[in-house]
Amino acid sequence: MPVTIALDVGGTHMRAAVFPENEISPCFQTRIRTYSEDESSLDRLMRLISEVVPDGEPLHAIGIAVPGPIDPHNGVILTAPNLQEWVGLPIVQMIREKFGVPAALGNDANLAALGEWRFGAGQGHHHLIYLTISTGIGGGVICDDQLLLGYKGLAGELGHVTILPNGPICSCGQPGHLEAVASGPGIAAYVAEQLQAGQPSTLAENPDAKTISQAALQGDLLALEAFQRAGHYLGLAIANYLMIFNPSIIILGGGVSQTGDLLLDPIRETVNEAVLSDHYKEDLIITLAALGDDAGLYGALALARDLFQER
Ligand SMILES: [Zn+2]
């Protein structure tokens, strides 16, 4: 039976999954470390693909999700955080030449949006926003039944919108981006600052976001305030997305979103207050992602299947 291969490349691991035609469960999947001492990460990726290409079965297409800015129109990785040697890498052409099948590339957060739309929490919607909140904040937009790519393919950087002018410096170097304020490290930095200023709390010095969420569930006031604050700024950003894209569903993924109502309540509260009119909120769903860490992989699958069908 013909198969499609989906790949998700991260800073620590690369994953590959093989999906038979029309199936949504992989018949085979595996993962390897991105780095090793004796082999380049690009060689490792190519070997990973060779190992999962099935013997004697037709291969339709290969889809690949990578972090960071890419050019999806030309299949080139521009720069990839944690993958420093992959700068200006024409990965799609390389895969196409080596394996003789169509290939396509997407930003991992964009593809996670595509994955949640086709196979996860966003099924049946035509206008969707996906936001992943973990070490960073990434996102993707489905607009009129299409993944929004933009002129250079750089659309959907929903974590790098300015939400707090003169606020904390983001991982990208700019001040006050949503990611700097409401990501796991952003929440942790706020708590560390408040502890240093002498705010009473059960938390010890420099807690991470997970420890803070546990303390919040136990009723620690500083921890509760930290999530309230992060939720508020996420809510402001989401209200902005509502007015720009008018989606019917907002899907939240990533480790920090696992805190559930701790974050969702202040998000909903702020969204309610900050939108232009009630029409944006009519039938609006704000919900948690369904595919977890697999969202990017499923997005790569959707991308590859679309590519094959378009031919
Ligand atoms: Zn930023």
Side-chain angles (χ1 to χ4, degrees), residues 6-300:
L7 300 157
D8 188 8
V9 177
T12 4
H13 288 102
M14 308 184 192
R15 299 171 61 196
V18 182
F19 293 85
E21 193 174 19
N22 303 322
E23 302 265 335
I24 53 165
S25 299
C27 59
F28 179 74
Q29 60 177 321
T30 184
R31 69 173 203 175
I32 59 169
R33 296 194 71 80
T34 304
Y35 287 100
S36 84
E37 283 184 1
D38 47 8
E39 198 180 16
S40 79
S41 47
L42 182 61
D43 286 345
R44 291 178 71 71
L45 176 67
M46 291 301 185
R47 187 164 57 77
L48 175 67
I49 302 173
S50 305
E51 282 170 10
V52 300
V53 170
D55 275 343
E57 305 282 1
L59 175 58
H60 275 173
I62 298 175
I64 172 168
V66 299
I70 55 138
D71 175 352
H73 304 308
N74 295 301
V76 175
I77 297 171
L78 301 176
T79 55
N82 307 319
L83 291 162
Q84 281 88 352
E85 72 268 41
W86 292 21
V87 174
L89 189 75
I91 188 80
V92 162
Q93 186 193 337
M94 294 166 90
I95 290 176
R96 209 191 294 137
E97 280 171 7
K98 186 163 163 77
F99 299 98
V101 293
L105 168 72
N107 165 292
D108 57 0
N110 273 201
L111 289 190
L114 186 63
E116 286 287 346
W117 175 46
R118 289 286 176 79
F119 305 107
Q123 289 178 70
H125 289 262
H126 306 287
H127 312 274
L128 168 160
I129 303 268
Y130 169 83
L131 204 58
T132 170
I133 312 157
S134 56
T135 322
I137 297 184
V141 179
I142 303 292
C143 191
D144 287 322
D145 285 319
Q146 277 215 332
L147 177 65
L148 188 74
L149 293 176
Y151 170 47
K152 294 274 186 185
L154 302 171
E157 285 294 353
L158 304 179
H160 299 276
V161 293
T162 305
I163 207 75
L164 190 61
N166 308 315
I169 302 296
C170 185
S171 65
C172 72
Q174 297 287 335
H177 282 180
L178 180 65
E179 174 170 308
V181 177
S183 64
I187 294 170
Y190 174 75
V191 167
E193 199 185 285
Q194 296 303 309
L195 284 171
Q196 232 164 30
Q199 263 235 50
S201 169
T202 55
L203 286 160
E205 228 174 289
N206 297 324
D208 61 14
K210 192 160 189 191
T211 313
I212 298 166
S213 75
Q214 283 157 356
L217 291 169
Q218 308 275 321
D220 182 89
L221 288 180
L222 174 58
L224 282 167
E225 187 209 325
F227 274 93
Q228 178 78 30
R229 178 178 182 273
H232 170 68
Y233 286 113
L234 283 163
L236 281 183
I238 289 169
N240 289 340
Y241 308 151
L242 290 184
M243 289 177 282
I244 300 169
F245 301 108
N246 189 16
S248 56
I249 185 167
I250 306 280
I251 300 174
L252 304 175
V256 176
S257 68
Q258 299 299 311
T259 50
D261 289 343
L262 216 52
L263 203 62
L264 284 174
D265 286 346
I267 286 176
R268 292 197 172 106
E269 207 173 298
T270 305
V271 166
N272 270 329
E273 289 164 4
V275 285
L276 175 64
S277 78
D278 287 348
H279 299 302
Y280 291 96
K281 298 182 286 183
E282 281 165 12
D283 310 319
L284 175 70
I285 297 166
I286 301 179
T287 188
L288 296 177
L291 299 176
D293 290 342
D294 292 337
L297 201 64
Y298 274 94

